[in-house]
Amino acid sequence: MTDTKREKVVLVTGATRGIGHAIAENLADAYPLVITGRSADQLNALKKKLNDAGGKVEAIPADLTSSDEIQALVEGAIRSMGRVDCLINNAGMGIFGRVDEIQEKDFRYVLELNLLAPYLLTKAVLPDMITRKSGQVINISSVAGLNGFKGGGAYAASKFALNGFTESLREDVKEFGIAVTAVCPGGVRTEFGGSPAAVRDFVLEPEDVAHTVRYLVDESETANTKLIELKPRRRPDFR
Ligand SMILES: NC(=O)c1ccc[n+]([C@@H]2O[C@H](COP(=O)([O-])OP(=O)(O)OC[C@H]3O[C@@H](n4cnc5c(N)ncnc54)[C@H](OP(=O)(O)O)[C@@H]3O)[C@@H](O)[C@H]2O)c1
């Protein structure tokens, strides 16, 4: 890990698998990390792997639908690493169904994890960033935050709202030199939705999203990429 980058502490949510796991793996050679998710075993396995390879990684399990656990997570991150310079709101989930069929509790749950949790995490890290006049928030949204789709009433609503939150947050904090970005990937080959996604002609790898996020974390202190829509290219084996 280079000394200059060792200064920037990154908190990655949803790091136990999928996109968040790939983001942590990509960043660990250059940045101190706090990784989180609910599954302590998976978090600790990733922490060990990355630390054995020379990283500086702390794991703090948390359920992000609990505001108390979010508060404890941010306090724990600051206690162990000194501060949070970059928050990556990646944890998220989808429950799909026609609007008249989707359960109210499921609709609420999707909003709670995909929208409320990023808001509460941002709120918890922001005062310190404002004091230091530096920081970064990266929200992993989706193409479903730009286009509605059949069965996406809850999920697309949460991601459109996350994009609106991201836009407004950037206006709130740009005077303090804090960068705010939405990343909107198309389909990614993860266990999102409950089972591993099949390889198909157009699908991103989690590492593709991690590569894009790395670009943002590396971005200079005078630039702020606003939104990235990341589409898959037709895979070589299907061309
Ligand atoms: N896969 C796609 O096609 C795709 C496309 C565009 C955008 N996205 C977005 O990318 C993000 C990551 O998705 P993914 O595909 O990597 O999904 P995934 O493989 O299902 O991983 C989701 C992550 O979120 C964590 N998580 C879920 N519920 C949580 C909770 N209540 N509290 C704390 N952590 C929780 C999970 O950890 P635990 O289960 O251990 O808590 C896991 O680490 C999401 O925001 C998703 O909307 C995905």
Side-chain angles (χ1 to χ4, degrees), residues 110-156:
V110 171
L111 288 181
E112 214 166 303
L113 183 62
N114 295 1
L115 179 63
L116 255 293
Y119 153 68
L120 290 170
L121 280 154
T122 303
K123 192 174 161 68
V125 299
L126 220 45
D128 204 31
M129 290 182 180
I130 289 172
T131 302
R132 285 185 285 107
K133 293 193 167 50
S134 178
Q136 185 169 32
V137 179
I138 298 171
N139 291 329
I140 307 300
S141 181
S142 169
V143 290
L146 303 168
N147 309 282
F149 64 98
K150 187 175 162 62
Y155 185 67

Short mmCIF file of all heavy atoms in Angstrom, two decimals, residues 110-156:
data_model
loop_
_atom_site.label_atom_id
_atom_site.label_comp_id
_atom_site.label_asym_id
_atom_site.label_seq_id
_atom_site.Cartn_x
_atom_site.Cartn_y
_atom_site.Cartn_z
N VAL A 110 -37.40 -2.60 0.84
CA VAL A 110 -36.52 -2.19 -0.27
C VAL A 110 -36.11 -0.72 -0.09
O VAL A 110 -34.94 -0.35 -0.25
CB VAL A 110 -37.20 -2.43 -1.63
CG1 VAL A 110 -36.40 -1.82 -2.76
CG2 VAL A 110 -37.40 -3.92 -1.86
N LEU A 111 -37.10 0.12 0.27
CA LEU A 111 -36.77 1.54 0.48
C LEU A 111 -35.85 1.73 1.67
O LEU A 111 -34.94 2.58 1.66
CB LEU A 111 -38.05 2.35 0.69
CG LEU A 111 -38.91 2.56 -0.55
CD1 LEU A 111 -40.13 3.41 -0.19
CD2 LEU A 111 -38.14 3.26 -1.67
N GLU A 112 -36.07 0.92 2.69
CA GLU A 112 -35.27 1.05 3.92
C GLU A 112 -33.79 0.74 3.64
O GLU A 112 -32.90 1.48 4.06
CB GLU A 112 -35.81 0.11 4.98
CG GLU A 112 -35.69 0.67 6.37
CD GLU A 112 -36.54 -0.13 7.35
OE1 GLU A 112 -37.76 -0.24 7.12
OE2 GLU A 112 -35.96 -0.64 8.30
N LEU A 113 -33.55 -0.35 2.93
CA LEU A 113 -32.16 -0.74 2.68
C LEU A 113 -31.52 0.10 1.56
O LEU A 113 -30.37 0.52 1.68
CB LEU A 113 -32.08 -2.24 2.33
CG LEU A 113 -30.66 -2.76 2.13
CD1 LEU A 113 -29.82 -2.62 3.40
CD2 LEU A 113 -30.68 -4.22 1.67
N ASN A 114 -32.26 0.35 0.49
CA ASN A 114 -31.66 1.00 -0.69
C ASN A 114 -31.63 2.52 -0.60
O ASN A 114 -30.86 3.16 -1.31
CB ASN A 114 -32.41 0.59 -1.96
CG ASN A 114 -32.29 -0.89 -2.27
OD1 ASN A 114 -31.67 -1.63 -1.52
ND2 ASN A 114 -32.89 -1.33 -3.36
N LEU A 115 -32.47 3.10 0.24
CA LEU A 115 -32.55 4.56 0.32
C LEU A 115 -32.28 5.10 1.73
O LEU A 115 -31.42 5.96 1.91
CB LEU A 115 -33.94 5.02 -0.15
CG LEU A 115 -34.20 6.52 -0.12
CD1 LEU A 115 -33.27 7.26 -1.07
CD2 LEU A 115 -35.66 6.81 -0.46
N LEU A 116 -33.02 4.56 2.71
CA LEU A 116 -32.86 5.05 4.08
C LEU A 116 -31.47 4.79 4.62
O LEU A 116 -30.86 5.66 5.27
CB LEU A 116 -33.90 4.38 5.00
CG LEU A 116 -35.09 5.21 5.45
CD1 LEU A 116 -34.67 6.32 6.38
CD2 LEU A 116 -35.89 5.76 4.28
N ALA A 117 -30.93 3.60 4.36
CA ALA A 117 -29.60 3.26 4.89
C ALA A 117 -28.51 4.19 4.31
O ALA A 117 -27.71 4.74 5.08
CB ALA A 117 -29.27 1.79 4.64
N PRO A 118 -28.48 4.42 2.97
CA PRO A 118 -27.51 5.39 2.47
C PRO A 118 -27.67 6.78 3.08
O PRO A 118 -26.69 7.47 3.38
CB PRO A 118 -27.79 5.42 0.95
CG PRO A 118 -28.33 4.06 0.66
CD PRO A 118 -29.14 3.69 1.89
N TYR A 119 -28.93 7.19 3.30
CA TYR A 119 -29.17 8.49 3.93
C TYR A 119 -28.58 8.52 5.35
O TYR A 119 -27.85 9.44 5.73
CB TYR A 119 -30.68 8.79 3.95
CG TYR A 119 -31.12 9.69 5.07
CD1 TYR A 119 -30.73 11.04 5.10
CD2 TYR A 119 -31.90 9.20 6.11
CE1 TYR A 119 -31.12 11.86 6.15
CE2 TYR A 119 -32.29 10.01 7.16
CZ TYR A 119 -31.90 11.34 7.18
OH TYR A 119 -32.27 12.15 8.23
N LEU A 120 -28.88 7.47 6.14
CA LEU A 120 -28.42 7.46 7.54
C LEU A 120 -26.90 7.35 7.62
O LEU A 120 -26.26 7.99 8.46
CB LEU A 120 -29.09 6.31 8.31
CG LEU A 120 -30.59 6.49 8.56
CD1 LEU A 120 -31.21 5.20 9.11
CD2 LEU A 120 -30.83 7.65 9.53
N LEU A 121 -26.32 6.55 6.75
CA LEU A 121 -24.85 6.42 6.74
C LEU A 121 -24.20 7.75 6.35
O LEU A 121 -23.21 8.18 6.96
CB LEU A 121 -24.42 5.31 5.77
CG LEU A 121 -24.56 3.90 6.34
CD1 LEU A 121 -24.74 2.88 5.22
CD2 LEU A 121 -23.33 3.55 7.18
N THR A 122 -24.76 8.38 5.33
CA THR A 122 -24.22 9.67 4.88
C THR A 122 -24.32 10.69 6.00
O THR A 122 -23.36 11.43 6.29
CB THR A 122 -24.99 10.16 3.64
OG1 THR A 122 -24.91 9.15 2.63
CG2 THR A 122 -24.42 11.45 3.10
N LYS A 123 -25.48 10.73 6.63
CA LYS A 123 -25.72 11.67 7.74
C LYS A 123 -24.70 11.46 8.86
O LYS A 123 -24.24 12.42 9.48
CB LYS A 123 -27.14 11.44 8.25
CG LYS A 123 -27.70 12.46 9.19
CD LYS A 123 -29.17 12.10 9.45
CE LYS A 123 -29.75 12.75 10.68
NZ LYS A 123 -29.89 14.19 10.57
N ALA A 124 -24.34 10.20 9.09
CA ALA A 124 -23.41 9.89 10.18
C ALA A 124 -21.96 10.27 9.84
O ALA A 124 -21.21 10.65 10.74
CB ALA A 124 -23.50 8.40 10.53
N VAL A 125 -21.56 10.16 8.57
CA VAL A 125 -20.16 10.46 8.24
C VAL A 125 -19.94 11.93 7.86
O VAL A 125 -18.82 12.43 7.88
CB VAL A 125 -19.61 9.57 7.08
CG1 VAL A 125 -19.65 8.10 7.47
CG2 VAL A 125 -20.33 9.81 5.76
N LEU A 126 -21.02 12.61 7.51
CA LEU A 126 -20.89 13.95 6.92
C LEU A 126 -20.30 15.03 7.85
O LEU A 126 -19.44 15.81 7.40
CB LEU A 126 -22.26 14.41 6.40
CG LEU A 126 -22.31 15.16 5.08
CD1 LEU A 126 -21.46 14.53 4.00
CD2 LEU A 126 -23.77 15.29 4.63
N PRO A 127 -20.72 15.09 9.12
CA PRO A 127 -20.22 16.19 9.96
C PRO A 127 -18.69 16.25 9.99
O PRO A 127 -18.10 17.34 9.87
CB PRO A 127 -20.79 15.86 11.35
CG PRO A 127 -22.02 15.07 11.06
CD PRO A 127 -21.72 14.27 9.84
N ASP A 128 -18.07 15.09 10.09
CA ASP A 128 -16.61 15.03 10.13
C ASP A 128 -16.00 15.46 8.79
O ASP A 128 -14.99 16.18 8.75
CB ASP A 128 -16.24 13.56 10.44
CG ASP A 128 -14.88 13.47 11.06
OD1 ASP A 128 -14.49 14.41 11.77
OD2 ASP A 128 -14.20 12.45 10.82
N MET A 129 -16.64 15.02 7.68
CA MET A 129 -16.14 15.42 6.35
C MET A 129 -16.27 16.93 6.18
O MET A 129 -15.38 17.59 5.64
CB MET A 129 -16.94 14.72 5.24
CG MET A 129 -16.69 13.22 5.13
SD MET A 129 -17.65 12.53 3.75
CE MET A 129 -17.19 10.80 3.83
N ILE A 130 -17.37 17.49 6.66
CA ILE A 130 -17.58 18.94 6.53
C ILE A 130 -16.53 19.69 7.33
O ILE A 130 -15.94 20.66 6.86
CB ILE A 130 -19.02 19.31 6.97
CG1 ILE A 130 -20.02 18.80 5.92
CG2 ILE A 130 -19.17 20.82 7.19
CD1 ILE A 130 -21.48 18.93 6.30
N THR A 131 -16.23 19.19 8.53
CA THR A 131 -15.20 19.83 9.36
C THR A 131 -13.85 19.79 8.66
O THR A 131 -13.11 20.78 8.65
CB THR A 131 -15.09 19.09 10.72
OG1 THR A 131 -16.35 19.15 11.35
CG2 THR A 131 -14.04 19.73 11.61
N ARG A 132 -13.55 18.64 8.02
CA ARG A 132 -12.24 18.50 7.37
C ARG A 132 -12.22 19.08 5.95
O ARG A 132 -11.20 19.09 5.29
CB ARG A 132 -11.82 17.02 7.36
CG ARG A 132 -11.36 16.54 8.73
CD ARG A 132 -10.83 15.12 8.72
NE ARG A 132 -11.90 14.15 8.61
CZ ARG A 132 -12.20 13.44 7.53
NH1 ARG A 132 -11.48 13.58 6.44
NH2 ARG A 132 -13.19 12.60 7.52
N LYS A 133 -13.39 19.49 5.47
CA LYS A 133 -13.53 20.04 4.12
C LYS A 133 -12.96 19.11 3.06
O LYS A 133 -12.24 19.52 2.13
CB LYS A 133 -12.90 21.43 4.01
CG LYS A 133 -13.65 22.48 4.84
CD LYS A 133 -13.18 23.87 4.46
CE LYS A 133 -14.06 24.98 5.00
NZ LYS A 133 -14.36 24.93 6.39
N SER A 134 -13.30 17.84 3.20
CA SER A 134 -12.86 16.83 2.23
C SER A 134 -13.66 15.56 2.49
O SER A 134 -14.00 15.25 3.63
CB SER A 134 -11.36 16.55 2.42
OG SER A 134 -10.95 15.55 1.52
N GLY A 135 -13.94 14.83 1.42
CA GLY A 135 -14.64 13.56 1.60
C GLY A 135 -15.29 13.14 0.30
O GLY A 135 -15.24 13.86 -0.72
N GLN A 136 -15.91 11.96 0.35
CA GLN A 136 -16.48 11.41 -0.88
C GLN A 136 -17.60 10.43 -0.50
O GLN A 136 -17.45 9.65 0.43
CB GLN A 136 -15.38 10.66 -1.63
CG GLN A 136 -15.79 10.12 -2.98
CD GLN A 136 -14.60 9.64 -3.79
OE1 GLN A 136 -13.62 9.15 -3.22
NE2 GLN A 136 -14.68 9.75 -5.10
N VAL A 137 -18.69 10.50 -1.25
CA VAL A 137 -19.77 9.52 -1.10
C VAL A 137 -20.07 8.95 -2.48
O VAL A 137 -20.31 9.70 -3.43
CB VAL A 137 -21.05 10.17 -0.51
CG1 VAL A 137 -22.17 9.13 -0.39
CG2 VAL A 137 -20.77 10.81 0.85
N ILE A 138 -20.02 7.63 -2.57
CA ILE A 138 -20.32 6.96 -3.84
C ILE A 138 -21.52 6.05 -3.60
O ILE A 138 -21.47 5.16 -2.74
CB ILE A 138 -19.11 6.12 -4.32
CG1 ILE A 138 -17.90 7.02 -4.57
CG2 ILE A 138 -19.46 5.32 -5.58
CD1 ILE A 138 -16.59 6.29 -4.83
N ASN A 139 -22.60 6.30 -4.33
CA ASN A 139 -23.80 5.51 -4.16
C ASN A 139 -23.95 4.53 -5.32
O ASN A 139 -24.01 4.96 -6.49
CB ASN A 139 -25.03 6.41 -4.07
CG ASN A 139 -25.04 7.22 -2.79
OD1 ASN A 139 -24.53 6.76 -1.75
ND2 ASN A 139 -25.58 8.42 -2.83
N ILE A 140 -24.00 3.25 -5.01
CA ILE A 140 -24.20 2.25 -6.06
C ILE A 140 -25.70 2.17 -6.33
O ILE A 140 -26.46 1.59 -5.55
CB ILE A 140 -23.61 0.87 -5.68
CG1 ILE A 140 -22.14 1.00 -5.27
CG2 ILE A 140 -23.79 -0.09 -6.86
CD1 ILE A 140 -21.20 1.58 -6.34
N SER A 141 -26.09 2.81 -7.41
CA SER A 141 -27.49 2.82 -7.82
C SER A 141 -27.67 1.72 -8.86
O SER A 141 -27.19 0.60 -8.67
CB SER A 141 -27.84 4.21 -8.34
OG SER A 141 -29.17 4.29 -8.72
N SER A 142 -28.31 2.03 -9.97
CA SER A 142 -28.60 0.99 -10.97
C SER A 142 -29.16 1.67 -12.22
O SER A 142 -29.65 2.81 -12.14
CB SER A 142 -29.65 0.04 -10.40
OG SER A 142 -30.16 -0.82 -11.41
N VAL A 143 -29.14 0.96 -13.34
CA VAL A 143 -29.88 1.47 -14.51
C VAL A 143 -31.37 1.55 -14.17
O VAL A 143 -32.10 2.31 -14.79
CB VAL A 143 -29.66 0.62 -15.79
CG1 VAL A 143 -28.25 0.78 -16.32
CG2 VAL A 143 -30.00 -0.85 -15.55
N ALA A 144 -31.78 0.79 -13.14
CA ALA A 144 -33.17 0.88 -12.68
C ALA A 144 -33.44 2.20 -11.96
O ALA A 144 -34.58 2.49 -11.59
CB ALA A 144 -33.49 -0.29 -11.74
N GLY A 145 -32.40 3.00 -11.74
CA GLY A 145 -32.57 4.35 -11.23
C GLY A 145 -32.73 5.37 -12.35
O GLY A 145 -32.94 6.55 -12.10
N LEU A 146 -32.64 4.86 -13.59
CA LEU A 146 -32.76 5.74 -14.76
C LEU A 146 -33.93 5.33 -15.66
O LEU A 146 -34.42 6.13 -16.45
CB LEU A 146 -31.46 5.70 -15.58
CG LEU A 146 -30.19 6.10 -14.83
CD1 LEU A 146 -28.95 5.75 -15.64
CD2 LEU A 146 -30.20 7.58 -14.48
N ASN A 147 -34.35 4.06 -15.55
CA ASN A 147 -35.43 3.52 -16.38
C ASN A 147 -36.29 2.60 -15.52
O ASN A 147 -35.75 1.71 -14.85
CB ASN A 147 -34.87 2.65 -17.53
CG ASN A 147 -33.78 3.37 -18.30
OD1 ASN A 147 -34.06 4.21 -19.13
ND2 ASN A 147 -32.54 3.03 -18.02
N GLY A 148 -37.60 2.80 -15.57
CA GLY A 148 -38.48 1.85 -14.90
C GLY A 148 -38.58 0.57 -15.71
O GLY A 148 -38.18 0.52 -16.87
N PHE A 149 -39.07 -0.49 -15.10
CA PHE A 149 -39.26 -1.75 -15.83
C PHE A 149 -40.36 -2.55 -15.16
O PHE A 149 -40.71 -2.31 -13.99
CB PHE A 149 -37.94 -2.54 -15.90
CG PHE A 149 -37.43 -2.99 -14.55
CD1 PHE A 149 -37.66 -4.29 -14.09
CD2 PHE A 149 -36.73 -2.12 -13.72
CE1 PHE A 149 -37.20 -4.70 -12.85
CE2 PHE A 149 -36.27 -2.53 -12.49
CZ PHE A 149 -36.51 -3.82 -12.05
N LYS A 150 -40.91 -3.50 -15.91
CA LYS A 150 -42.03 -4.33 -15.41
C LYS A 150 -41.61 -5.07 -14.13
O LYS A 150 -40.57 -5.74 -14.13
CB LYS A 150 -42.38 -5.33 -16.51
CG LYS A 150 -43.62 -6.17 -16.25
CD LYS A 150 -43.88 -7.02 -17.50
CE LYS A 150 -44.80 -8.19 -17.25
NZ LYS A 150 -46.12 -7.81 -16.81
N GLY A 151 -42.37 -4.92 -13.10
CA GLY A 151 -42.06 -5.60 -11.83
C GLY A 151 -41.10 -4.82 -10.95
O GLY A 151 -40.75 -5.26 -9.86
N GLY A 152 -40.68 -3.64 -11.43
CA GLY A 152 -39.66 -2.89 -10.69
C GLY A 152 -40.21 -1.76 -9.85
O GLY A 152 -39.45 -0.86 -9.46
N GLY A 153 -41.50 -1.80 -9.52
CA GLY A 153 -42.12 -0.69 -8.78
C GLY A 153 -41.36 -0.30 -7.53
O GLY A 153 -41.11 0.89 -7.28
N ALA A 154 -40.96 -1.29 -6.74
CA ALA A 154 -40.25 -0.98 -5.49
C ALA A 154 -38.77 -0.69 -5.77
O ALA A 154 -38.23 0.31 -5.30
CB ALA A 154 -40.37 -2.17 -4.53
N TYR A 155 -38.14 -1.57 -6.54
CA TYR A 155 -36.69 -1.44 -6.75
C TYR A 155 -36.36 -0.15 -7.52
O TYR A 155 -35.48 0.62 -7.11
CB TYR A 155 -36.18 -2.67 -7.49
CG TYR A 155 -34.67 -2.70 -7.66
CD1 TYR A 155 -33.83 -2.83 -6.55
CD2 TYR A 155 -34.08 -2.60 -8.92
CE1 TYR A 155 -32.45 -2.86 -6.70
CE2 TYR A 155 -32.70 -2.63 -9.07
CZ TYR A 155 -31.89 -2.76 -7.96
OH TYR A 155 -30.52 -2.78 -8.11
N ALA A 156 -37.05 0.07 -8.64
CA ALA A 156 -36.77 1.27 -9.43
C ALA A 156 -37.09 2.53 -8.62
O ALA A 156 -36.34 3.52 -8.68
CB ALA A 156 -37.55 1.25 -10.75
#
